[in-house]
Amino acid sequence: MLGLEQTVVEAVGEQDGAIVISVRPVWSQRDRCPHCRRRCPGYDLGEGRRRWRALDLATTSCFLEADAPRVECNVHGVVVAAVPWARHDAGFTRSFDDTAAWLAVNTSKSAICQLSRIAWRTVGRICERVSAEANAGRDLFANLTELGFDEISIRKGQKYLTVVVDHHTGRLVWAFGRDRKAVEKFLDLLGPERCQQIRLVSCDDAEWITRPIAERCPKAVVCLDPWHIVKAATDALDDVRRQVWNEARRAGNKQLAKRLKGARFALWKKPEKLTDQQHAKLAWIQTLNAPIYRAYPLKEQLRGIYHADNTEHALALPDGWLKWARRCRLEPFVKLAKRITEQRSRVEAALHHSLSNARVEQVNTQIRLIIRRGFGYRSPGAVIALAMLSLGGLCPPLPRR
Ligand SMILES: [Zn+2]
């Protein structure tokens, strides 16, 4: 009923409305180091009896209670002996941990907190524990050939994370801090042999990513992430819109300023997704003959490059676009054209390898959703753990399923 393995049940009692079950490890599992599982000589009785919260029995809370003696390991020193029913340093049983992690991946924050009667922060610590164990028992870096690097902020304006996605499977491979050292640490973990196997890397044009990759992965073609280019074009268009809006406001043309502000979404959206009203807005902008309407097709055509039917056709497009953008006399687009010219080979590499934007975007969206859910967590470690459980394939099954 309790799902306990290698455990002897000594007694069952009741205290303050909870069921308390006295247990001990079977003989073969006694006096083991929690880190290396080696049998060690006993050291002392530690802090005496200890309790672990187990899964509820029907509607009643349940705890396991046992001695927690310490052992002396040759390698790991004096440590509390391992127990078969719980992870090291945990206040919950293994099945409780696994259930909470599964719920964190599959249900809402309030559902898990109410169902399990634990705080969201505790869920974060459980995720870290479960993810670390699953991580240790599996080779997350096997067969990696195409990687996508991206950066995501955990909170507005602070604590950035670099995430690495496997382009083949869409799986989240790794997440860590945001600087050159973090990228180097990832490449260290990958090791020189696997670095040789990396054929394709997509990222934005940040040097702290591209430099170490160029040094360590000689065979990797670096592609400029289409998502970042399309975003840069959208930002440039928004700069133009803001300029025109500011001018209108300064000239005292309140009505024009107001309508321009409202046109923001129509300009952002993909044309195929526009509503009738937004189409009308675009038509209105066209009649103004303002710089915005010159900027709009510039953005749309750049986006279109990544939706071209065949690679050859797409590869021919940037030339025309660059010429057009350089001469458009719209400062943000002239700047963007310069940036793309500098990164030309990487832009073309992305087109040549038909690196799809869709998958990168999909994983990014999912990671951002998870990070938003992880807001209550203090440490980035818990956010990373939740992301790895959800998108890295590390989530444990429910106990006995
Ligand atoms: Zn040990």
Side-chain angles (χ1 to χ4, degrees), residues 33-38 40 73-77 79:
C33 166
H35 305 294
C36 59
R37 297 274 150 187
R38 252 191 295 250
C40 308
C73 173
N74 277 343
V75 186
H76 301 100
V79 278

Side-chain angles (χ1 to χ4, degrees), residues 4 26 63 109 115 140 155 157 206 209 218 230 256 319 333 363 387 399:
L4 296 172
V26 294
F63 293 90
K109 183 169 155 176
L115 183 72
L140 286 173
R155 256 172 241 169
I209 299 178
V230 175
L256 174 66
D319 259 333
F333 279 92
V363 178

Side-chain angles (χ1 to χ4, degrees), residues 297-340:
L298 272 166
K299 172 213 131 192
E300 270 314 306
Q301 202 182 56
L302 192 59
R303 198 174 69 83
I305 290 174
Y306 296 103
H307 294 268
D309 293 338
N310 64 61
T311 317
E312 230 166 276
H313 185 52
L315 279 169
L317 282 171
D319 259 333
W321 189 89
L322 284 172
K323 248 182 227 164
W324 180 18
R326 273 188 217 118
R327 288 190 207 140
C328 70
R329 296 190 316 266
L330 299 165
E331 190 52 31
F333 279 92
V334 176
K335 265 192 198 153
L336 179 61
K338 201 175 158 224
R339 188 171 151 205
I340 292 177

Side-chain angles (χ1 to χ4, degrees), residues 120-132:
W120 184 236
R121 252 178 224 151
T122 312
V123 178
R125 280 196 294 275
I126 290 176
C127 286
E128 282 185 84
R129 198 154 58 221
V130 174
S131 166

